[in-house]
Amino acid sequence: MKRFAVTEFGRPLCALVEDDPAPSGSEVLLDLERCGVCHTDLHLREGHYDLGGGRRLSLADRGVTPPVTLGHEILGRIAAAGPEAGDVGIGRRVLVFPWIGCGSCHRCMAGEENLCATGRCLGVHRPGGFAEKVVVPHPRYLIDVEGLDPSAAATLACSGLTAYSALRKVGGDPARDWLLLIGAGGLGQSALRLARALGHARIAIADTAPDKRARAQALGADLVLDPADPEARTALLGLETGLAAAIDFVGNAETTRFAIDTLRRGGRSITVGMFGGEITLSLPLLPLRALTLTGSYVGNLGELRDLVALVREHGLTLVETETIPLAEAEEAMRRLEAGAVAGRLVLANRS
């Protein structure tokens, strides 16, 4: 089999050839069909996150060491299973939940493996989907997606799940309250479509790119803004009922400040993106404005199952996808890094 891996942080992906893996215990082996390409893959290739002020969060210090086979939006067909996996249905098309924890801590036992402090996530700690074959540690992480478009379904494991989980944290009255989505790329597009399916009636989208704003307008956003425009803050502060919540899919100093500055009293800012940086907060304003600042990290297995059911029920396609050969994984990374992707790039194993 071939896999495309980070063999040295900050360097292009390398193609590695090795023996096909053999599943043992409860493991399940998949023949890859699709794998989405995510901004998280860029951070993993670089080996760090920008904490602002010249500081970095080193992935090596967090137990992520090369070679790293990227890819966590994994969809494939079951090829084989270990003796403890049970009847998994050989040949069945499945989506993989990649945010796997240790399985024994209080977070994992509560169904929140994505928040496990010692996670073993596919595409991060375990080999992921930039490969012809993928080993999944247990069949409980497999979700049936027969009948769904495979490229679109693959993106549900991260892009869709991340948007869905963040939306579930908004609270309030979706029929009345204004919701702001910052960033109209793949995540923002997914969030807009999901927000409508979840009953949000007043949705604003902010993005500095004119083409992305035009796309958001075409998708039916109620208000589209350029956050660099001084009038954008005025427009949000003047909304009837005020801005109840903002979900930031970018996550840099400018977008976080934009969200905080435009929320009404009692508003909620949910940071998802990890482009990096830092902000300074006047602490008395947090209680005076009764603000809630929170982060949202992908989502849990139950949420992914709920998301797939929601997509089936409403016939949703969350984001436009472009499918390219698995062998072009490095080219896909470069395109994503350059901002030359309208929705989501998805790698396909055509062998």
Side-chain angles (χ1 to χ4, degrees):
M1 62 167 281
K2 284 185 180 180
R3 62 188 179 107
F4 297 86
V6 176
T7 57
E8 181 182 350
F9 288 133
R11 302 288 296 170
L13 301 179
C14 288
L16 305 179
V17 180
E18 58 188 36
D19 292 338
D20 291 353
S24 62
S26 64
E27 292 176 340
V28 180
L29 178 66
L30 301 186
D31 287 329
L32 183 84
E33 288 194 339
R34 300 287 191 275
C35 185
V37 183
C38 176
H39 270 282
T40 297
D41 294 315
L42 294 178
H43 293 301
L44 290 166
R45 187 179 65 173
E46 292 305 306
H48 66 268
Y49 290 98
D50 177 11
L51 297 178
R55 296 172 295 122
R56 290 180 170 181
L57 174 63
S58 167
L59 294 176
D61 292 344
R62 295 173 62 85
V64 180
T65 56
V68 180
T69 304
L70 301 178
H72 47 266
E73 293 185 341
I74 303 164
L75 181 145
R77 290 197 181 274
I78 299 174
E84 299 171 19
D87 182 8
V88 295
I90 301 299
R92 187 164 59 96
R93 174 178 281 167
V94 292
L95 177 67
V96 179
F97 176 77
W99 312 108
I100 296 168
C102 69
S104 59
C105 70
H106 72 286
R107 286 293 193 186
C108 289
M109 298 302 289
E112 297 180 322
E113 290 192 57
N114 58 306
L115 302 181
C116 176
T118 55
R120 303 297 301 165
C121 304
L122 296 174
V124 184
H125 309 94
R126 301 174 187 259
F130 287 16
E132 293 174 334
K133 297 180 183 291
V134 182
V135 175
V136 181
H138 196 280
R140 69 173 174 269
Y141 301 117
L142 306 178
I143 300 172
D144 185 90
V145 287
E146 291 287 2
L148 298 181
D149 175 81
S151 291
T155 68
L156 299 178
C158 179
S159 178
L161 177 60
T162 297
Y164 181 77
S165 186
L167 285 164
R168 302 304 294 179
K169 297 176 174 67
V170 167
D173 182 350
R176 179 198 64 194
D177 293 336
W178 275 94
L179 168 66
L180 170 66
L181 306 176
I182 302 177
L187 276 170
Q189 292 175 36
S190 295
L192 175 57
R193 290 181 168 104
L194 282 172
R196 291 297 192 208
L198 293 171
H200 289 272
R202 295 175 168 181
I203 303 172
I205 291 189
D207 200 298
T208 57
D211 59 329
K212 292 182 179 179
R213 292 199 302 273
R215 180 60 180 157
Q217 189 81 56
L219 290 175
D222 300 290
L223 178 64
V224 177
L225 304 158
D226 179 355
D229 182 349
E231 296 302 315
R233 281 175 165 78
T234 302
L236 290 173
L237 290 170
L239 290 174
E240 179 192 3
T241 75
L243 180 61
I247 303 177
D248 182 1
F249 292 113
V250 180
N252 63 26
E254 291 77 15
T255 56
T256 300
R257 175 56 60 191
F258 183 76
I260 292 173
D261 288 350
T262 54
L263 289 171
R264 72 186 187 191
R265 291 188 73 178
R268 182 180 294 260
S269 175
I270 302 165
T271 301
V272 174
M274 295 188 285
F275 273 74
E278 60 184 347
I279 61 169
T280 301
L281 289 173
S282 298
L283 295 179
L285 293 180
L286 289 180
L288 286 172
R289 295 180 60 199
L291 296 179
T292 298
L293 311 182
T294 187
S296 186
Y297 180 67
V298 290
N300 60 47
L301 178 56
E303 288 175 322
L304 183 55
R305 294 189 185 281
D306 291 344
L307 171 61
V308 171
L310 185 70
V311 166
R312 286 190 186 278
E313 177 186 354
H314 291 268
L316 296 175
T317 297
L318 299 188
V319 65
E320 291 183 0
T321 59
E322 179 185 347
T323 305
I324 61 176
L326 175 63
E328 297 179 16
E330 174 59 27
E331 174 61 23
M333 296 279 282
R334 293 181 182 183
R335 285 181 57 189
L336 184 60
E337 191 172 31
V341 181
R344 201 71 157 182
L345 289 176
V346 179
L347 303 176
N349 181 21
R350 302 182 188 278
S351 61

